[in-house]
């Protein structure tokens, strides 16, 4: 399979930036869920065959819960999986389709590639049409709709993918965090060590929230950081929901 080759670009694929907990918070899924995507799982239900799930997110084993283990490309892959989860498709049903998708696109890190956006829906639709397992086929079909005779991703998936910006090598170099509705919050591995930042102002979301929690007003923060008040309010809303 094709793989990124330039030394400069390899940092997106190799350098761990996030712990499981940090990555899960960014993409808004439980850490336990992201852990199964990154590490795989083995389940042994009573009186039933063992069930295994292979890892589907790029992960670097760093030995320690507080040490970063997920590179930017892994966070991007997990964002696509979060979109699938948000669409209501069971992950155990879609895992075979994702494996087939990577094979069909012929590249590593298919979920972080622009080819997913251009060719992924067609491949998933073809998979659903010819797969003998009716449940697996239905799961894949739920991710795709037909418009003007073409296969495209359902709106939930498409909304996530529209937030991706691709580098010249065809892989994601920046993405918009989907949890925010008013604020434009992005993750860029070249800025703030990959922490979520406000696109307007370029400051870390966490830094602004800490200042707000310390008692500074929205007006003061807007004036200092150049972030619109409605974007700050949106970030506070997301933080409050996650803390609940």
């Amino acid at each position: 399979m094709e793989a990124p080759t330039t030394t400069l670009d390899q940092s997106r694929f190799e350098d761990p930036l996030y712990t499981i907990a940090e990555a899960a918070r960014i993409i808004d899924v439980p850490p336990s869920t992201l852990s199964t995507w990154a590490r795989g799982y083995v389940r042994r239900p009573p009186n039933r065959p063992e069930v295994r799930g292979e890892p589907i997110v790029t992960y670097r084993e760093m030995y320690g819960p507080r040490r970063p283990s997920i590179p930017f490309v892994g966070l991007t892959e997990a964002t696509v999986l979060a979109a699938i989860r948000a669409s209501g498709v069971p992950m155990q049903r879609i895992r075979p389709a994702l494996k087939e998708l990577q094979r069909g696109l012929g590249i590593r890190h298919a979920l972080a590639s622009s080819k997913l956006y251009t060719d992924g829906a067609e491949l998933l639709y073809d998979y659903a049409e010819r797969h003998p397992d009716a449940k697996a086929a239905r799961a894949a079909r739920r991710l795709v709709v037909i418009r003007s005779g073409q296969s495209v991703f359902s709106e939930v998936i498409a909304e996530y993918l529209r937030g991706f910006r691709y580098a010249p090598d065809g892989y994601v170099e920046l993405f918009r965090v989907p949890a925010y509705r008013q604020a434009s919050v992005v993750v860029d591995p070249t800025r703030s060590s990959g922490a979520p930042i406000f696109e307007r102002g370029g400051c870390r979301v966490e830094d602004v929230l800490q200042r707000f929690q310390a008692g500074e007003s929205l007006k003061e923060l807007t004036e200092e950081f150049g972030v619109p008040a409605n974007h700050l309010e949106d970030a506070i809303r997301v933080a409050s929901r996650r803390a609940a």
Side-chain angles (χ1 to χ4, degrees):
M1 287 187 178
E2 297 176 21
T5 56
T6 66
T7 302
L8 178 64
D9 289 333
Q10 284 291 58
S11 62
R12 282 181 288 153
F13 303 86
E14 299 294 340
D15 296 351
L17 294 178
Y18 315 96
T19 65
I20 291 282
E22 289 167 343
R25 186 163 56 250
I26 292 171
I27 64 172
D28 209 14
V29 300
S32 58
T33 296
L34 181 54
S35 182
T36 64
W37 296 348
R39 296 171 172 150
Y41 64 85
V42 178
R43 294 177 183 146
R44 299 180 176 87
N47 303 316
R48 293 175 58 188
E50 180 179 273
V51 179
R52 288 181 175 267
E54 296 299 319
I56 47 179
V57 162
T58 303
Y59 173 77
R60 310 294 178 208
E61 184 61 72
M62 301 304 290
Y63 302 102
R66 295 174 184 258
R67 299 191 64 183
S69 57
I70 295 182
F72 176 75
V73 72
L75 185 67
T76 304
E77 293 162 341
T79 301
V80 177
L81 297 177
I84 293 172
R85 185 175 184 270
S87 73
V89 175
M91 192 57 61
Q92 68 268 27
R93 294 293 181 195
I94 204 63
R95 276 174 175 267
L98 295 178
K99 186 175 182 179
E100 179 67 15
L101 181 67
Q102 178 146 310
R103 189 201 65 78
L105 293 177
I107 54 174
R108 296 174 59 192
H109 310 297
L111 297 182
S113 168
S114 59
K115 288 187 177 183
L116 175 69
Y117 191 83
T118 57
D119 304 328
E122 190 71 38
L123 285 169
L124 281 178
Y125 182 80
D126 290 345
Y127 171 89
E129 288 295 290
R130 58 184 169 75
H131 202 281
D133 184 331
K135 291 182 179 179
R138 281 199 301 271
R141 195 174 291 114
R142 285 172 61 184
L143 302 179
V144 179
V145 295
I146 304 298
R147 290 191 185 135
S148 303
Q150 292 186 317
S151 302
V152 297
F153 282 108
S154 65
E155 186 54 33
V156 172
I157 307 297
E159 182 180 358
Y160 278 68
L161 295 182
R162 281 194 289 267
F164 289 175
R165 190 179 80 191
Y166 299 95
D169 64 5
Y171 288 90
V172 175
E173 64 177 0
L174 171 153
F175 70 83
R176 188 174 65 247
V177 181
Y180 301 88
R181 293 295 173 237
Q182 296 292 324
S184 180
V185 173
V186 299
V187 171
D188 179 347
T190 68
R191 291 190 284 173
S192 298
S193 301
I197 59 174
F198 288 104
E199 196 165 24
R200 291 274 298 275
C203 52
R204 285 171 28 121
V205 173
E206 188 63 29
D207 291 344
V208 179
L209 289 175
Q210 287 178 356
R211 297 274 291 272
F212 176 77
Q213 290 161 359
E216 295 191 42
S217 69
L218 290 178
K219 184 175 184 296
E220 290 172 320
L221 295 171
T222 295
E223 290 175 351
E224 179 172 348
F225 292 105
V227 179
N230 65 323
H231 289 202
L232 293 175
E233 290 169 349
D234 193 27
I236 293 166
R237 174 191 63 80
V238 171
S240 298
R241 176 176 57 78
R242 288 174 175 172

